[in-house]
């Protein structure tokens, strides 16, 4: 844990210096320390900022620790920097991915149990009710849409409401991939128009699993490769879910979404720290 905490701080501090991030000279706790505290909470404490704050202060990592409310305000103020960090890590994974193979899928994140939906104060719209086909159950919350490499490292990510369709999600990916890349997906991502557009404009092959009545059936060897690579994105989703607690404590929808995003960034950071 100690080595990961130090490496996380060094990475955040170097990033802020590289982008020429300005801080007030009156700040007792730097933004690099704020980022480190949030990422440590996601990595080791199930997103509980209070536990991470206490541990880092007691062990002397961050002597000038902010109060709970001031820390929360500072964290929301620099949330865009976390996006920069995730994009830089994603660029690293793309440069190391010599096979140019990628996989996309979604991970459901429940804000509460189904029985508590009427009492949910964070979200109160029916569009947040989604269906998880793998477990044959409904959930209420968000979806994390991931694009990972053949080794399971995330290169793209975005959040949607629970009922957002997988075919619609194909239009939200940036597809900033090298020419000749291949993207595998499951049966829910069949859209011939987007497949043709990606092939013609970006020279990227989108190969989702086909349904039995598909007009573009794939040969058996391609189906075997799809099944093999599908396990990578499922493993990545499982590892992110392992970082999640049983329930994510948040007061506002912005706070809930920030914590969910931090878990994905923490997973990508953990992959980087293991190199």
């Amino acid at each position: 844990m100690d080595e990961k905490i130090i490496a996380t701080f060094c990475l955040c501090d170097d990033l802020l210096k590289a982008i020429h991030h300005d801080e007030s000279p009156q700040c007792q706790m730097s933004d690099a320390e704020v980022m480190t505290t949030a990422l440590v909470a996601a990595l080791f404490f199930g997103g509980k900022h209070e536990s991470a704050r206490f541990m880092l202060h007691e062990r002397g990592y961050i002597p000038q620790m902010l109060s709970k409310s001031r820390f929360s305000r500072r964290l929301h103020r620099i949330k865009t920097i976390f996006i920069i960090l995730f994009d830089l890590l994603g660029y690293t994974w793309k440069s190391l991915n010599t096979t140019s193979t990628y996989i996309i899928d979604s991970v459901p994140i429940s804000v509460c149990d189904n029985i508590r939906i009427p009492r949910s104060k964070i979200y109160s719209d029916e569009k947040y009710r989604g269906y998880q086909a793998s477990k044959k159950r409904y959930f209420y919350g968000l979806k994390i849409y991931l694009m990972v490499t053949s080794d399971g490292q995330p290169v793209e990510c975005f959040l949607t409401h629970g009922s957002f369709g997988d075919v619609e999600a194909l239009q939200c990916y940036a597809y900033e991939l090298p020419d000749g890349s291949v993207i595998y997906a499951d049966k829910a991502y069949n859209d011939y128009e987007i497949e043709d557009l990606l092939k013609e404009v970006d020279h990227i092959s989108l190969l989702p699993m086909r349904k039995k009545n598909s007009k573009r059936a794939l040969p058996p060897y391609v189906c075997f490769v799809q099944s093999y690579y599908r396990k990578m994105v499922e493993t990545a989703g499982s590892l992110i879910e392992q970082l999640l607690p049983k329930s994510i404590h948040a007061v506002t929808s912005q706070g809930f979404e920030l914590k969910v995003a931090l878990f994905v960034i923490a997973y990508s950071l953990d992959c980087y720290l293991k190199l």
Side-chain angles (χ1 to χ4, degrees):
M1 179 188 289
D2 293 339
E3 292 180 355
K4 287 188 177 182
I5 292 173
I6 296 171
T8 299
F9 172 77
C10 292
L11 183 63
C12 293
D13 190 52
D14 289 344
L15 171 62
L16 294 177
K17 290 178 180 177
I19 64 176
H20 305 290
H21 177 69
D22 293 327
E23 294 183 28
S24 172
Q26 297 179 348
C27 291
Q28 295 181 348
M29 183 177 176
S30 67
D31 286 339
E33 292 174 329
V34 174
M35 294 178 67
T36 301
T37 305
L39 291 170
V40 167
L43 278 171
F44 304 110
F45 298 100
K48 297 177 182 178
H49 294 159
E50 196 66 16
S51 299
R53 287 178 56 253
F54 178 79
M55 186 275 292
L56 293 173
H57 177 67
E58 286 296 311
R59 292 194 179 184
Y61 286 107
I62 305 178
Q64 303 294 330
M65 180 61 71
L66 296 174
S67 64
K68 181 178 180 180
S69 59
R70 290 180 63 190
F71 174 79
S72 180
R73 289 195 297 270
R74 286 279 299 277
L75 180 62
H76 281 269
R77 195 183 305 166
I78 61 172
K79 58 185 179 182
T80 54
I81 301 178
F82 287 103
I83 300 175
I84 298 174
L85 175 60
F86 179 80
D87 288 341
L88 287 174
L89 290 172
Y91 177 80
T92 301
W93 303 135
K94 283 186 280 188
S95 62
L96 294 175
N97 186 25
T98 56
T99 62
S100 294
T101 301
Y102 300 88
I103 313 98
I104 57 176
D105 200 7
S106 62
V107 181
I109 304 295
S110 299
V111 69
C112 65
D113 292 330
N114 287 334
I115 196 171
R116 296 180 180 177
I117 291 175
R119 289 180 286 169
S120 175
K121 296 181 180 179
I122 297 179
Y123 299 114
S124 58
D125 197 310
E126 191 64 23
K127 68 180 181 180
Y128 291 98
R129 186 195 293 270
Y131 182 72
Q132 188 176 3
S134 60
K135 295 185 178 179
K136 297 182 180 180
R137 67 185 297 269
Y138 287 91
F139 71 97
Y140 190 75
L142 304 175
K143 278 184 179 180
I144 304 174
Y145 279 93
L146 285 172
M147 179 184 292
V148 303
T149 66
S150 55
D151 292 325
Q153 298 106 343
V155 297
E156 284 190 37
C157 169
F158 58 90
L159 301 177
T160 68
H161 53 79
S163 62
F164 198 76
D166 291 341
V167 173
E168 298 174 78
L170 288 174
Q171 304 175 18
C172 300
Y173 285 100
Y175 299 108
E176 295 178 352
L177 305 174
D179 287 353
S181 296
V182 179
I183 304 173
Y184 294 111
D186 62 22
K187 296 178 182 178
Y189 294 89
N190 276 278
D191 190 317
Y192 298 151
E193 184 177 350
I194 292 180
E195 288 181 34
D196 295 338
L197 189 62
L198 284 173
K199 189 68 175 179
E200 180 180 353
V201 178
D202 296 325
H203 307 289
I204 296 174
S205 299
L206 175 62
L207 295 175
M209 293 180 175
R210 301 302 189 191
K211 299 178 181 179
K212 292 182 179 179
N213 59 349
S214 175
K215 297 179 181 179
R216 298 186 182 182
L218 297 173
Y221 75 90
V222 176
C223 297
F224 174 79
V225 174
Q226 287 175 326
S227 300
Y228 172 79
Y229 281 118
R230 281 282 304 149
K231 296 177 182 179
M232 300 302 175
V233 70
E234 291 172 357
T235 301
S238 298
L239 291 174
I240 292 173
E241 289 178 342
Q242 287 179 13
L243 296 175
L244 296 169
K246 289 185 178 180
S247 62
I248 301 174
H249 175 72
V251 178
T252 63
S253 59
Q254 293 85 356
F256 182 80
E257 290 158 12
L258 177 58
K259 279 195 172 184
V260 172
L262 283 171
F263 284 115
V264 181
I265 298 170
Y267 167 69
S268 183
L269 177 63
D270 192 44
C271 294
Y272 180 80
L273 297 177
K274 290 177 180 178
L275 288 178

